[in-house]
Amino acid sequence: MEMCNEDKSNDDTQELSLRDKFSKLFNELEHCEKEEQKQKIEETNRLMEEMDKEEFKSFIGYWKEMKCVWSLHFGETSLSKSLKKTIIDEEKRREGKNEKLLVELCECYLFLINTISAELMPICIPCLIKVALKKEESEEAQNEVETALMVMSSAGYWEFMEQELYLNEIKEIIQYHQEYHNLKRLAYQSAWQFLINRLFNDNNLEGMIVNELCFVREAARELDELLCCVDWKREIEREEVIALMRWFQTLALYFEFCHLWNEGYAELISIIVKAFRASRDDHREISKQCIHLLRKAAEIEVIKINDLLKGGAVDLIFEEILQSTSNGEILCDCLNFYLMISRKLKRMEDFKTYEPKRKLIKKEIFEKMEKEGYEDIIISLHETFNYLSKEYFIHLPINISDYFVNV
């Protein structure tokens, strides 16, 4: 099990809190023999009883997502096998089946493991979908819905899942929220993340996601509203960072797996640009993700150069290249962005019907280049290309002509 972004005390001699003791014990579960594992489970149970409500909430449902905790080998442990057997046995029970227990078992299992077996998928997914369909307005019901959707969204995108297990229901959940706004922000994002994950194995979902559910429009709106809620002058809350990063993760998968153009791309690009400008000075991890997203947007064929121009991405990337303080990874993404633009222009040469449009786009970009001395900047960076490529595992061609100079 790996852990990151945990709060650490500056005083190493300070006694561990209940939460930290719990983390330490849980972190050790998959690295011990069966008897020792049993003892540690008993100890974690004792600590859980001592925790107050707020401490306990740190580990139920939100622990994996909010504290960036994940398990690399949990599926190989005896605890995992025991939990899996308990889920299957509870599902097979004909009399006295405890539905609430089954839900909690499924949530616990999926929060701790990043893959779901074919054997458990037809048990866990319908079980969680049923919870996620709840439309009660009580805080308890909302929390149950949010947790179920978060668990589902943690299922890896590489797993094939029969549409019969989820499609009509997840579509209903998204459309109901679009009309009545009944979900919490993180729950709505989780519903989309679960659905976009399915694109990896099922491109038949593209039409519904793009045209019926209007993902691009919804993602742009949600991101914009989230950005407006953030007070960028202070250290933003961990929950706000997680929400932004989860949307960026979902968008990255969407850009990679969806191949249908959407008229809302320019607006979405403009929101990503807005997020970068807001976070550039004080929240570098967020700004790095924004630039990485813009690079991915430039890579895919379906997003046109005009979408990037109208969204302000071309201007932003150019400004960042000129910054002497640019992070090396960000600089690589910026250079690759322009490389992708140049290749898009070259591909347009193959279609005579595109030539008038190509000339206009080329003229607009060249004017930006000449105004700011872009060609000189690229040439000045030429000697660092090899270093940047090796340092950040990104191929940057040495040929300057690939960066517009002779396009």
Side-chain angles (χ1 to χ4, degrees), residues 181-225:
H181 304 285
N182 65 307
L183 297 176
K184 292 182 177 181
R185 192 182 301 280
L186 191 56
Y188 188 48
Q189 187 281 329
S190 297
W192 273 117
Q193 185 169 323
F194 170 79
L195 187 56
I196 298 300
N197 280 349
R198 310 280 70 79
L199 270 175
F200 178 73
N201 284 308
D202 193 351
N203 58 15
N204 291 323
L205 297 172
E206 286 183 335
M208 182 194 72
I209 289 173
V210 173
N211 301 318
E212 288 186 61
L213 299 180
C214 307
F215 171 74
V216 172
R217 179 196 69 193
E218 291 294 295
R221 181 183 57 76
E222 285 288 314
L223 263 180
D224 196 32
E225 289 181 4

Side-chain angles (χ1 to χ4, degrees), residues 64 109-110 112-121 124-125 151-163 165-166 193-202 205 257:
K64 178 182 175 183
Y109 184 78
L110 292 182
L112 291 172
I113 196 166
N114 287 325
T115 59
I116 177 173
S117 68
E119 190 176 13
L120 283 185
M121 197 177 293
C124 293
I125 296 304
V151 173
M152 288 172 57
S153 72
S154 70
Y157 62 81
W158 51 84
E159 298 153 346
F160 177 75
M161 195 176 295
E162 297 287 349
Q163 289 188 5
L165 292 177
Y166 70 90
Q193 185 169 323
F194 170 79
L195 187 56
I196 298 300
N197 280 349
R198 310 280 70 79
L199 270 175
F200 178 73
N201 284 308
D202 193 351
L205 297 172
F257 300 140

Side-chain angles (χ1 to χ4, degrees), residues 210-386:
V210 173
N211 301 318
E212 288 186 61
L213 299 180
C214 307
F215 171 74
V216 172
R217 179 196 69 193
E218 291 294 295
R221 181 183 57 76
E222 285 288 314
L223 263 180
D224 196 32
E225 289 181 4
L226 183 57
L227 290 172
C228 291
C229 294
V230 175
D231 181 359
W232 295 98
K233 295 180 180 179
R234 60 165 173 78
E235 184 178 355
I236 63 178
E237 299 292 336
R238 180 66 184 160
E239 287 77 6
E240 294 170 335
V241 174
I242 290 293
L244 283 169
M245 296 300 240
R246 282 171 64 92
W247 271 113
F248 293 156
Q249 177 188 2
T250 304
L251 283 169
L253 289 172
Y254 178 82
F255 286 159
E256 187 168 351
F257 300 140
C258 189
H259 307 290
L260 296 180
W261 182 79
N262 186 280
E263 62 183 7
Y265 271 137
E267 175 63 18
L268 177 59
I269 296 298
S270 73
I271 301 301
I272 298 172
V273 169
K274 178 181 176 180
F276 177 84
R277 293 191 185 281
S279 62
R280 173 162 42 189
D281 294 333
D282 302 310
H283 303 283
R284 204 57 172 174
E285 192 57 37
I286 293 176
S287 61
K288 279 168 58 178
Q289 289 301 314
C290 292
I291 293 294
H292 187 66
L293 262 184
L294 294 176
R295 191 202 96 184
K296 288 188 74 71
E299 285 179 355
I300 64 174
E301 189 68 31
V302 70
I303 295 184
K304 309 303 180 185
I305 298 179
N306 267 343
D307 297 323
L308 299 168
L309 282 166
K310 291 178 182 178
V314 176
D315 287 329
L316 173 64
I317 297 292
F318 189 72
E319 291 171 18
E320 195 61 21
I321 288 177
L322 295 178
Q323 296 293 322
S324 60
T325 57
S326 284
N327 168 277
E329 188 176 353
I330 288 180
L331 183 57
C332 280
D333 277 337
C334 288
L335 291 171
N336 268 298
F337 176 95
Y338 269 101
L339 177 62
M340 294 303 110
I341 295 291
S342 69
R343 289 178 177 174
K344 283 177 183 284
L345 279 172
K346 287 180 180 179
R347 283 196 293 269
M348 290 175 71
E349 289 181 319
D350 297 333
F351 302 93
K352 293 182 179 180
T353 54
Y354 287 163
E355 187 58 24
K357 188 175 182 179
R358 178 183 181 274
K359 287 182 177 179
L360 288 174
I361 293 173
K362 180 178 176 180
K363 181 175 183 294
E364 182 175 349
I365 295 177
F366 268 48
E367 286 177 352
K368 294 178 185 296
M369 289 167 54
E370 292 174 359
K371 181 180 178 181
E372 301 292 345
Y374 174 79
E375 183 174 341
D376 292 338
I377 293 293
I378 292 297
I379 292 173
S380 72
L381 292 172
H382 183 266
E383 293 183 359
T384 68
F385 281 8
N386 190 46

Side-chain angles (χ1 to χ4, degrees), residues 77-87:
T77 65
S78 58
L79 177 61
S80 169
K81 294 171 184 176
S82 176
L83 186 54
K84 180 178 177 180
K85 182 179 184 302
T86 304
I87 291 172

